[in-house]
């Protein structure tokens, strides 16, 4: 393995500048010798009068490509020793096209114009003035072009990846295409418009054969290597091998295993792909790794914060220095190639720009903080009590240590115990006094289920508005179904709710809205919730404060439950299951619809009536008017007595349904969550689905004698 | 395709460029008759290309970067702009990082090398002429205006694509990167289209 000046960070050191001067000299010499110091000859490319440029470029392209493939195949050099330009389709395609236009107009490109200037061509001087101006224009226009400049970005990609071919196929194809193009060029050039050196057929045939032979040799060079990652391509290279290893270690900022693996994996196409992928992910350091190194006080690590000074002063990571992008190269000059420079800001855009800019200055040891400071907070500093997942005591202690290390003392004090203490068993009921005491405690989320207008005119401070119907939608053709868990989880996440939050459900005068929301939480396995007894009316009756401000919410990722499509949760049953249960003789089917709907007296249903054998217990029967115009569920003992009369035992299978599932949610909740019935299922699709199946039996009967018709 | 140029060439080479240079600089007297590019005939393009390829290979193996000229000119542009509007440049994201010393970059030194190589080769081969190269019917001002516009476009495009036809096209494609080939393809397509539209200047 040999190390390049790029990989050792010496590109802009005196040695690098001297070599660049020498390489440039040979470059200019070759161009001039080929006669490319003449715009007349150059423009012949597009006028098809003089194909010298095509011949020179293609010949150089194939020669260099074969040499590079051979160098990699033999293990002489690795891809990571090269400064690779990433593929960014839009600017490269557009840039190529505009450049082609400019070339056709002027007859020059910057390299040949430098040679042309050396040959005394004044048009080359004018062209170069244009080039300098054009690059200034680009710099000025960059703020507007920045979005375009990243369109089609793919990281470093190679033609074989894009074409889904092997490197061998690409190299052979390229050689073949070049040889073909040579012969085409010779045919295309008609007449000696410009003095051209004579190229005999014999020479061209020989040259073509040489390139083809060269490609075969390059692709089949044996790898000079020793198992264990040491590559020797010459006796003198052992020393430089070591240098290269160190340089790469600095460059990647990752462990040396990865680098060694990369070096072993050179040359062959799939491995080159892996390497390129590693290359693409190479410029970043993950927050957890940065935290580990900072806490270990790694002396080789330089952390630079690119944010404005005010933001830096407000908070920064311990050990970070605040340097603006324009000063960066100067301040960091002595760190070029030394250790690892980590750039951070709130996000990653500016650090990535600065990293790439530094890379062009020959800083090969610059990485950015992956995900920026935001992600650092999320992954390293977020207290265990605010995270979605539950932590072991050990892991939580680790987080606390990190908080103490990075955060100012007043922020890093241990939080109040992770979980908020509920008023009683969960799920359950809570009263307004408890809620008033618990407001503003972390881990409490108050969800207001009243219509938006009522919420807007005054709500419990920091409560979140949620219209219950937003929890339902058309699922598989059935209207008004509780949405699948994944959507509900997304919804809760957007509201900033986490599985560890204690959710308080507030309604106006309809407890069934709260129980419907409770069904949604149950579907997600979220049992840390309570219903506010008496709803909002109980709150206002206690003269507790309300406000009109909207709460500040940071979206979370609420984990979605893993469920099958046909069984969204453990308690919901479908129509076919109800049909089976109807005749099994054990299951008690309770219809929570209003009595007139149950009996079939209520017009408007597609088909009126109820499931044969089902018992009507209207949901309103379970509600009672409380003090101060509140509506709440009846006292527990009354409910227990009423349902004991309907259901013979606490473990008897029960199915509850109503017209659309909202009313039944209250019955389900009372039975399973307040009264302790253990086998209560919820037919959410309810009568809306049942009535649409003419083959499923239904009866319409007069209502039971004792019925107070309130709905 | 023929090898019958040698008599002309020896004649041209015999007329040493040094005394002529001043004459050409003072007036475009000989431009009209300049249908043949003066001096020794160029080298066999395939061999010159092979040497260029070897130079590129050496650049990659020693420096780790490809050949490029546009980057150096962009640096010069930034330097120039900084001389004129120092405060302005600090705010430009794409070039602010080149400062404080935009010129102490390998890109600039490579361009200087290209110029020196071209100068030496042109002098030794007798191809040095102070002249504005143009087609027989094009006026000098028209030629220079088209050249300036072309240069503007090329400089802008090279910054946009992070390289010119040599830096992005040749050097990128030699490493078989996709971007290099995309650039070359679009370069050729647009070039032929434009030559079809603007090619008259050389006829």
């Amino acid at each position: 393995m040999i190390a390049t000046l790029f990989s050792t960070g010496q590109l802009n050191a005196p040695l690098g500048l001297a070599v660049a001067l020498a390489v440039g000299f040979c470059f200019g010499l070759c161009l001039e010798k080929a006669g490319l110091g003449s715009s007349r000859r150059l423009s012949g490319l597009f006028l098809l009068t003089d194909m010298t440029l095509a011949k020179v470029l293609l010949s150089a392209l194939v020669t260099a490509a074969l040499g590079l493939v051979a160098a990699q195949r033999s293990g002489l050099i690795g891809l990571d020793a090269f400064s690779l330009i990433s593929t960014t389709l839009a600017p490269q395609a557009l840039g190529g096209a505009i450049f082609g236009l400019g070339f056709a107009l002027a007859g020059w490109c910057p390299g040949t114009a430098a040679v042309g200037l050396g040959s005394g061509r004044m048009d080359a001087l004018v062209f170069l003035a244009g080039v300098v101006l054009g690059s200034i224009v680009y710099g000025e226009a960059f703020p507007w072009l920045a979005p375009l400049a990243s369109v089609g970005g793919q990281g470093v990609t190679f033609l074989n990846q894009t074409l889904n071919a092997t490197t061998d196929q690409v190299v052979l194809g390229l050689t073949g295409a070049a040889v073909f193009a040579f012969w085409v060029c010779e045919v295309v050039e008609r007449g000696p418009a410009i003095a051209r050196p004579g190229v005999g057929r014999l020479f061209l045939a020989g040259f073509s054969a040489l390139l083809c032979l060269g490609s075969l040799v390059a692709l089949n060079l044996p790898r000079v290597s020793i198992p264990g990652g040491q590559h020797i391509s010459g006796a003198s290279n052992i020393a430089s091998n070591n240098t290269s290893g160190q340089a790469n270690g600095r460059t990647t900022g990752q462990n040396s295993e990865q680098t060694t693996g990369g070096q072993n994996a050179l040359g062959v196409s799939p491995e080159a792909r892996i390497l390129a992928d590693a290359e693409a992910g190479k410029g970043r350091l993950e927050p957890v790794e940065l935290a580990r190194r900072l806490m270990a006080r790694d002396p080789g690590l330089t952390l630079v914060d690119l944010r404005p000074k005010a933001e830096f002063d407000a908070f920064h990571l311990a050990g970070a220095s605040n340097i603006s992008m324009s000063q960066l190269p100067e301040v960091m000059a002595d760190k070029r190639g030394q250790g690892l420079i980590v750039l951070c800001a709130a996000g990653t855009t500016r650090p990535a720009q600065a990293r790439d800019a530094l890379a062009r200055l020959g800083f090969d040891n610059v990485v950015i903080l992956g995900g920026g400071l935001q992600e650092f907070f999320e992954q390293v500093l977020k207290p265990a009590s605010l995270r979605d997942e539950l932590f072991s005591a050990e892991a939580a202690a680790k987080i606390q240590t990190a908080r103490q290390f990075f955060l100012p003392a007043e922020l890093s004090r241990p939080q109040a115990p992770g979980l908020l203490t509920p008023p009683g068993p969960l799920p359950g009921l809570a009263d307004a006094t408890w809620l008033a005491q618990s407001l503003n405690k972390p881990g409490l989320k108050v969800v207001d289920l009243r219509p938006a207008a009522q919420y807007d005119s005054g709500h419990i401070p920091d409560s979140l508005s949620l219209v219950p119907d937003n929890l339902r939608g058309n699922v598989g053709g059935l209207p008004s179904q509780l949405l699948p868990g994944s959507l509900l989880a997304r919804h809760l996440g957007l509201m900033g709710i986490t599985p560890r939050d204690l959710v308080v459900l507030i309604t106006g005068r309809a407890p069934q809205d709260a129980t419907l929301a409770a069904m949604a939480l149950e579907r997600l396995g979220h049992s840390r919730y309570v219903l506010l007894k008496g709803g909002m009316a109980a709150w206002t009756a206690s003269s507790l404060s309300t406000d009109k401000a909207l709460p500040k919410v940071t979206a979370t990722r609420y984990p979605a439950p893993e469920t099958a499509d046909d069984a969204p949760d453990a308690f919901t049953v479908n129509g076919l299951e109800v049909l089976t249960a109807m005749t099994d003789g054990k299951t008690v089917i309770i219809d929570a619809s209003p009595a007139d709907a149950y009996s079939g007296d209520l017009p408007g249903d597609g088909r009126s009536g109820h499931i044969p054998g089902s018992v009507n217990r209207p949901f309103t029967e379970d509600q009672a008017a409380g003090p101060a115009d509140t509506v709440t569920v009846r006292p527990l003992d009354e409910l227990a007595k009423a349902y004991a009369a309907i259901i013979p035992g606490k473990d008897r299978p029960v199915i509850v349904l109503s017209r659309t599932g909202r009313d039944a949610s209250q019955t389900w909740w009372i039975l399973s969550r307040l009264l302790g019935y253990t086998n209560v299922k919820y037919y959410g699709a309810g009568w809306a689905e049942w009535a649409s199946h003419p083959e499923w039996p239904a009866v319409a009967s007069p209502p039971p004698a004792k019925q107070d018709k309130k709905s | 395709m023929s090898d019958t140029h040698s008599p002309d060439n020896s004649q041209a080479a015999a007329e040493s460029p040094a005394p002529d240079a001043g004459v050409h600089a003072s007036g475009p007297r000989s431009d009209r008759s300049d249908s043949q590019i003066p001096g020794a005939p160029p080298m066999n393009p395939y061999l010159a290309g092979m040497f260029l390829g070897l130079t590129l290979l050496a650049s990659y193996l020693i420096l780790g970067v490809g050949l490029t000229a546009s980057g150096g000119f962009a640096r010069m542009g930034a330097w120039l702009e900084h001389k004129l509007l120092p405060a302005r440049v600090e705010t430009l994201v794409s070039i602010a990082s080149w400062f404080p010393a935009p010129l102490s970059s390998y890109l600039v030194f490579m361009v200087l090398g290209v110029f020196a190589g071209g100068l030496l080769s042109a002098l030794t081969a007798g191809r040095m002429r102070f002249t504005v190269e143009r087609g027989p019917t094009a006026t000098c001002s028209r030629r220079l205006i088209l050249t300036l516009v072309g240069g503007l476009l090329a400089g802008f495009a090279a910054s946009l694509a992070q390289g010119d036809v040599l830096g992005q096209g040749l050097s990128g494609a030699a490493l078989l990167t996709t971007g290099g080939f995309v650039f070359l393809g679009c370069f050729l397509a647009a070039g032929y289209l434009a030559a079809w539209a603007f090619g008259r200047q050389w006829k």
Side-chain angles (χ1 to χ4, degrees), chain A residues 575 578-579 582 607 611-612 683 686-694 696-698:
Chain A
V578 178
L579 196 62
M582 189 180 78
R607 184 182 174 205
I611 298 174
Y683 179 29
W687 189 253
E689 181 192 29
W690 192 276
S692 73
H693 283 268
W696 293 352

Side-chain angles (χ1 to χ4, degrees), chain A residues 482-494:
Chain A
L482 203 54
L483 292 170
S486 52
L487 290 178
L488 293 172
R490 181 93 181 96
H491 199 153
L492 291 195
L494 290 174

Side-chain angles (χ1 to χ4, degrees), chain A residues 32-33 38 140 159 162 357, chain B residues 43 81 88 97 121 133 178:
Chain A
E32 211 290 330
K33 288 268 178 246
S38 156
E140 291 288 338
L159 196 60
T162 308
Chain B
M43 194 176 166
E81 194 180 6
R88 173 84 190 139
S97 60
S121 175
E133 252 187 304
T178 306

Side-chain angles (χ1 to χ4, degrees), chain B residues 20-133:
Chain B
D20 283 7
V23 179
H24 284 282
S26 56
R29 173 180 55 85
S30 66
D31 282 353
R32 288 285 145 180
S33 61
D34 200 7
S35 68
Q36 293 291 102
I37 292 163
M43 194 176 166
N44 179 324
Y46 300 103
L47 290 181
M50 201 169 81
F51 286 125
L52 181 62
L54 291 175
T55 305
L56 175 57
L57 182 62
S59 178
Y60 266 126
L61 294 185
I62 301 171
L63 286 172
V65 296
L67 300 175
T68 176
S70 57
F73 290 114
R75 297 295 175 124
M76 294 179 195
W79 175 82
L80 191 69
E81 194 180 6
H82 187 256
K83 283 286 158 216
L84 301 174
L85 300 162
R88 173 84 190 139
V89 175
E90 312 264 311
T91 64
L92 298 175
V93 218
S94 61
I95 62 174
S97 60
W98 298 345
F99 287 90
L103 296 185
S104 71
S105 160
Y106 78 94
L107 294 165
V108 176
F109 280 73
M110 198 177 273
V111 168
L112 294 179
V114 173
F115 172 77
L119 179 69
L120 185 82
S121 175
L123 280 176
T124 53
R127 283 191 286 262
M128 175 67 133
R129 290 288 184 281
F130 286 99
T131 175
V132 173
E133 252 187 304

Side-chain angles (χ1 to χ4, degrees), chain A residues 375-419:
Chain A
E375 197 59 28
F376 190 90
F377 268 85
E378 192 70 20
Q379 289 188 18
V380 179
L381 297 180
K382 192 174 179 183
S385 57
L386 294 183
R387 299 198 189 205
D388 296 349
E389 62 270 51
L390 290 164
F391 280 89
S392 67
E394 193 187 346
K398 248 180 166 170
I399 293 171
Q400 185 54 29
T401 317
R403 286 176 62 82
Q404 275 165 359
F405 184 87
F406 289 108
L407 296 178
E410 67 272 15
L411 279 176
S412 62
R413 257 176 292 140
Q415 293 265 337
L419 296 174

Side-chain angles (χ1 to χ4, degrees), chain A residues 157-165 170 174, chain B residues 175-178 181:
Chain A
T157 51
F158 294 92
L159 196 60
N160 50 309
Q161 290 166 273
T162 308
L163 299 180
N164 204 13
V170 169
L174 183 65
Chain B
L175 271 176
L176 307 179
T177 62
T178 306
F181 286 98

Side-chain angles (χ1 to χ4, degrees), chain A residues 29 204 354 418 461 564 673:
Chain A
L29 209 60
L204 194 56
R673 295 299 177 242

